[in-house]
Amino acid sequence: MKRWMAVGLLVLLGWPAGWTPAGEPAVGRLGPGRLTGTLEEVRLQARAAGLSQDRIRQAEQACEDAGFSSSETARVLLLLARARVAGLPDRDLLSKLREGVAKRAGADAILRALDRRTLTLRRAADLVDRLTLEGFPPADRLTAVEMVADALWAGAETSRILRSVREDRPLGGGLPDVRIAFRRSKRPR
């Protein structure tokens, strides 16, 4: 009875890091609270998160083209799934993956870039949400997040991005014109 309770507890909490059934490769730990599992388990998680079968296939093909292991491929799928669940543009991450593959970057470099891009997308989403609450809703939220993320990625400071939208002035300096992604506020000044 104790054994079954222990197995049930493991199922509820997730398998311990480094343990996988019968020789299946494990997904490396991706941070606090992140589960491990086989590539097939992560595919199921990606589908549950709302990623289309086509999007999953595209990501796996890019990973295969780059020579990723199954655990590296699973990590990419998990990043895409988490982006989808968080309301971030997973298409942006898929684009970065393809860019890394085209540049023939190694798996570690691509995964680091995807991690950094995910953080940038989260910051961008926070800025888009902030501007929305101030009365500058985006015409399309995912596109606005991508544009703001591109500006952040290119080195624009948060304050400059906010000022650009609020004052309806371009960022300049070759940075993306993020204000076109937002509607003008209808509230009086």
Side-chain angles (χ1 to χ4, degrees):
M1 184 64 159
K2 286 182 184 178
R3 179 176 159 186
W4 288 110
M5 288 175 61
V7 168
L9 185 60
L10 283 173
V11 169
L12 287 173
L13 298 176
W15 299 109
W19 185 88
T20 55
E24 290 287 331
V27 176
R29 295 224 22 113
L30 300 177
R34 296 182 177 171
L35 302 177
T36 61
T38 64
L39 178 56
E40 187 56 38
E41 290 169 336
V42 174
R43 276 188 197 117
L44 292 173
Q45 291 172 4
R47 290 290 296 148
L51 285 176
S52 69
Q53 193 64 37
D54 187 50
R55 183 71 46 104
I56 293 169
R57 196 174 311 115
Q58 291 172 13
E60 287 184 349
Q61 183 61 53
C63 290
E64 183 180 321
D65 292 347
F68 281 26
S69 68
S70 62
S71 64
E72 291 163 337
T73 300
R75 185 169 173 195
V76 167
L77 290 179
L78 202 50
L79 284 170
L80 291 172
R82 289 216 165 105
R84 172 60 66 99
V85 168
L88 302 175
D90 54 87
R91 65 185 180 219
D92 186 86
L93 292 174
L94 187 56
S95 175
K96 286 293 176 198
L97 171 64
R98 288 182 180 134
E99 182 182 322
V101 171
K103 292 180 178 179
R104 299 183 191 270
D108 286 341
I110 291 173
L111 289 168
R112 277 193 309 276
L114 290 175
D115 283 337
R116 282 193 324 271
R117 186 61 178 195
T118 300
L119 292 174
T120 302
L121 287 168
R122 286 184 190 280
R123 285 181 53 214
D126 287 345
L127 286 175
V128 169
D129 293 346
R130 183 174 173 181
L131 287 163
T132 300
L133 291 173
E134 290 178 15
F136 301 97
D140 176 64
R141 185 177 185 282
L142 293 179
T143 300
V145 170
E146 286 176 335
M147 290 182 76
V148 171
D150 287 344
L152 289 168
W153 193 263
E157 295 175 8
T158 301
S159 59
R160 278 185 67 198
I161 293 170
L162 292 171
R163 193 169 39 256
S164 171
V165 174
R166 289 173 183 152
E167 297 173 3
D168 194 24
R169 295 182 185 182
L171 283 171
L175 294 170
D177 191 0
V178 297
R179 62 198 171 122
I180 64 172
F182 295 89
R183 296 186 202 116
R184 298 301 309 155
S185 175
K186 295 194 179 6
R187 63 187 171 129
R189 297 249 171 215

